Amino acid sequence: MSNGKRILIVGGVAGGASCAARARRMDEQAEIILFERGPFVSFANCGLPYYVGDVIRREQSLLVATPELFRDRFNIQVRLHSEVVAINRQEKTVTVRDHGSATDYEEPYDALVLSPGASPVKPPIEGLDLPGVFSVRTIPDSREIRKRIEEARAGRAVIIGGGYIGLEMAENLLRRNLQVTLVELQRQLMPLSDPEMVVPIHEALTERGADIRLGEEVARVSRSDDGLLTVQLKSGGTVDSDVVILAVGVRPEVRLAEEAGLELGPMGGIRVDDRMRTSDPHIWAVGDAVEVYNVVTGSWGLMPLAGPANRQGRIAADVICGRDVRFRGVQGTAVVGVFDQVLAATGPSEKVLKRLGLWDSPLQCEKIYLHPGHHANYYPGAEVITVKLIFSKKDGRIIGAQAVGKEGVEKRIDIISMAIQKGGTVFDLEEAELCYSPQFGSAKDPVNLAGMIAANVLRGDVEVVHAPEMAARPEGVCVLDVREPLEFKRGHVDGAVHIPLGELRRRMNELPRDREIWVYCYVGQRSYVAARALRQYGFRAKNLSGGYRSLLMWQKAVDL
Ligand SMILES: Cc1cc2nc3c(=O)[nH]c(=O)nc-3n(C[C@H](O)[C@H](O)[C@H](O)COP(=O)(O)OP(=O)(O)OC[C@H]3O[C@@H](n4cnc5c(N)ncnc54)[C@H](O)[C@@H]3O)c2cc1C
């Protein structure tokens, strides 16, 4: 026994394990005990879909640390199969159920940290408890899915839910040559992203044979005597399957906290302050179970991601050990990869901002699109990144960004994420000094270009219109296509006047001076040059942001 303070931690994975290790680094005298109700501590839950897909071949590889490592390296006791079932706040003890011996015992604490995570949402749909229907949260879950695939010689899978876990499972089951049907209630995958940005992810899955059913709801799941599962959809159709994966989101695990009378927030997570302290001064909470302050939207919400959980665990440990540190809050920086396509985002999407009523006021948002190469186009292998940047018209503050493409996507979003954390503006992105060599980037990196395009809008150098406006343009608008003849021939906006950029200066007399001219090219760059020239000659020209390519992405999202 040490004479130091007793720090008890509930939950031994992302938030709990990082809290325990940090607490030891801060306080050599503390007695630290980590309770984990499952069979593993500190495992890589983010790697589970890849274990199902056999990308990660050995279960052992998912174990980031073992109880022995915690003991030997950190002098931390890890108790597996040990569920904390009650917090006795008056006595400052917890009741622990040892599932091995089926006995309960009490442990006193000076500081208690809750990191119980979030459990998969199970909607009230008949049949979700049937054998063959799985959620993906733990190593045993993924082991069972693998077993089912192998034992049933599974050829078909239905995934319910098109968020990132659903997508990662779809990719991995397709890798294992299963025929995958993905059912998503909303009219798009990745429901918190903007629909046009998700199109390449949708296509990456359908190109590999996935059957994606958008706007569909599961009514029930049934099982025949020979183990075949049938998923019935509310629209009337049915899909037969050998395995069903439920991935419709997670809910914070707050039972312990709630029963102990700790304050919860409006979204159902544990309420904490910026030092991760709950409404009880001796109890901290971190990770998926807590509500977090969103620095962009100014609202409290849930952000079940590994990065915040790890950082919060560290902060709780620091505070418990006497350091004055604070959690800055979240903005929602995330990435998902599906085959060769990567979708990353930081800050809220346009859709979320509009739903929260923040788009027009108070934030006064504007957006721009661009499609640059991920590195210099003259160097072999440049891949297009589509970037959408959302910023405030008031002062240029960056609100959010999404990017999709094959290479270099998350790097750009990480840069913009840091800019948002520091309260940066589009003018900061214009000036950002970033690495450049042809195989890595461009002298004007996509991040610089995004800043320059947005700054052009704010400085009044150009006015932009967007795909939905182009599709519903008022009568009287003259649409001008400045691409080359072959590009025009391959497809163009109905009724567009075609004058290639190279001919524009001598053919300007063909354009009306009394009407607005909406100019477009393929990605918005040549049309920007055209719009600048036209404006200087007295025409009322606007540029279609992101050009014909953005228009096509938007149209596909509408048609899905
Ligand atoms: C399949 C999958 C893929 C993911 N991929 C990503 C990703 O790519 N990127 C990303 O940022 N995030 C990802 N996440 C989310 C990320 O794993 C979580 O945000 C993170 O693990 C949360 O950490 P936590 O400590 O709050 O909870 P967890 O890591 O879930 O740990 C909670 C632990 O507490 C234990 N526990 C609960 N109650 C008790 C109790 N009463 N007593 C004892 N033990 C208890 C649970 O058994 C659990 O092991 C993924 C999650 C899953 C499931």
Side-chain angles (χ1 to χ4, degrees), residues 110-415:
D110 297 308
L112 175 66
V113 182
L114 305 178
S115 188
S119 50
V121 170
K122 201 178 228 187
I125 296 172
E126 192 187 323
L128 293 186
D129 290 320
L130 288 169
V133 181
F134 302 93
S135 297
V136 196
R137 184 183 181 188
T138 62
I139 291 181
D141 289 339
S142 49
R143 193 189 287 156
E144 287 301 312
I145 298 170
R146 284 175 66 109
K147 200 165 131 203
R148 170 83 186 174
I149 292 171
E150 279 142 30
E151 285 180 0
R153 295 177 190 277
R156 292 158 298 182
V158 171
I159 296 170
I160 310 175
Y164 76 86
I165 294 181
L167 297 187
E168 290 175 355
M169 287 305 295
E171 177 192 1
N172 281 288
L173 293 174
L174 285 164
R175 270 188 211 287
R176 293 196 62 159
N177 295 322
L178 272 78
Q179 200 180 310
V180 170
T181 304
L182 192 151
V183 183
E184 166 55 51
L185 180 64
Q186 298 221 23
R187 295 284 329 155
Q188 67 170 88
L189 299 175
M190 293 295 285
L192 294 179
S193 300
D194 287 326
E196 72 280 12
M197 300 303 289
V198 177
V199 168
I201 294 283
H202 190 110
E203 290 177 342
L205 285 171
T206 50
E207 276 162 18
R208 269 104 181 158
D211 176 7
I212 301 178
R213 314 276 185 99
L214 297 177
E216 286 273 15
E217 211 173 332
V218 172
R220 63 193 285 263
V221 181
S222 54
R223 190 172 193 265
S224 66
D225 292 342
D226 57 4
L228 177 77
L229 296 161
T230 302
V231 177
Q232 191 167 342
L233 303 176
K234 282 205 175 150
S235 63
T238 58
V239 189
D240 289 337
S241 184
D242 303 300
V243 57
V244 173
I245 307 290
L246 183 65
V248 295
V250 294
R251 180 175 292 132
E253 280 215 21
V254 294
R255 190 190 56 76
L256 257 187
E258 198 172 18
E259 286 177 5
L262 298 179
E263 189 185 338
L264 302 184
M267 305 297 291
I270 304 171
R271 175 47 68 88
V272 288
D273 63 13
D274 58 2
R275 293 181 167 88
M276 307 315 298
R277 204 188 294 254
T278 66
S279 53
D280 181 318
H282 305 288
I283 304 178
W284 284 255
V286 302
D288 289 0
V290 305
E291 277 188 20
V292 278
Y293 183 71
N294 188 308
V295 291
V296 181
T297 62
S299 53
W300 288 84
L302 302 168
M303 192 65 71
L305 290 172
N310 275 276
R311 298 199 305 280
Q312 292 163 4
R314 182 180 160 95
I315 285 170
D318 278 356
V319 174
I320 290 167
C321 297
R323 285 217 173 154
D324 185 21
V325 292
R326 288 158 199 254
F327 183 63
R328 287 186 191 176
V330 297
Q331 61 200 53
T333 305
V335 60
V336 63
V338 175
F339 294 107
D340 56 356
Q341 288 291 335
V342 180
L343 172 71
T346 184
S349 62
E350 175 178 357
K351 185 177 165 182
V352 168
L353 287 161
K354 287 186 171 161
R355 197 180 66 208
L356 295 174
L358 299 171
W359 180 268
D360 292 318
S361 155
L363 293 178
Q364 295 182 28
C365 294
E366 179 55 283
K367 60 183 173 180
I368 53 104
Y369 295 86
L370 60 157
H371 309 272
H374 88 285
H375 62 47
N377 283 322
Y378 65 80
Y379 187 86
E383 297 285 356
V384 172
I385 307 181
T386 292
V387 182
K388 174 175 185 174
L389 182 72
I390 301 173
F391 53 97
S392 171
K393 282 187 276 193
K394 286 189 292 188
D395 51 10
R397 187 163 72 92
I398 310 158
I399 310 287
Q402 293 158 74
V404 63
K406 291 183 178 171
E407 297 283 346
V409 170
E410 69 289 355
K411 163 175 152 176
R412 273 60 192 213
I413 289 299
D414 278 343
I415 297 167

Side-chain angles (χ1 to χ4, degrees), residues 482-491 498 500 503:
V482 294
R483 294 175 302 161
E484 294 305 307
L486 204 60
E487 294 176 272
F488 185 79
K489 214 170 142 197
R490 275 196 220 116
H498 179 222
E503 299 172 22

Side-chain angles (χ1 to χ4, degrees), residues 10-16 35-38 43 45-46 48-49 82-84 115-117 136-137 164-165 168 253 256 286-288 304-307 309:
V10 181
V13 191
F35 298 98
E36 169 54 54
R37 73 175 166 211
F43 67 90
N45 24 21
C46 309
L48 298 177
S82 299
E83 181 169 3
V84 173
S115 188
V136 196
R137 184 183 181 188
Y164 76 86
I165 294 181
E168 290 175 355
E253 280 215 21
L256 257 187
V286 302
D288 289 0
L305 290 172

Side-chain angles (χ1 to χ4, degrees), residues 2-13:
S2 87
N3 296 322
K5 66 167 72 118
R6 295 196 103 217
I7 304 173
L8 303 191
I9 299 170
V10 181
V13 191

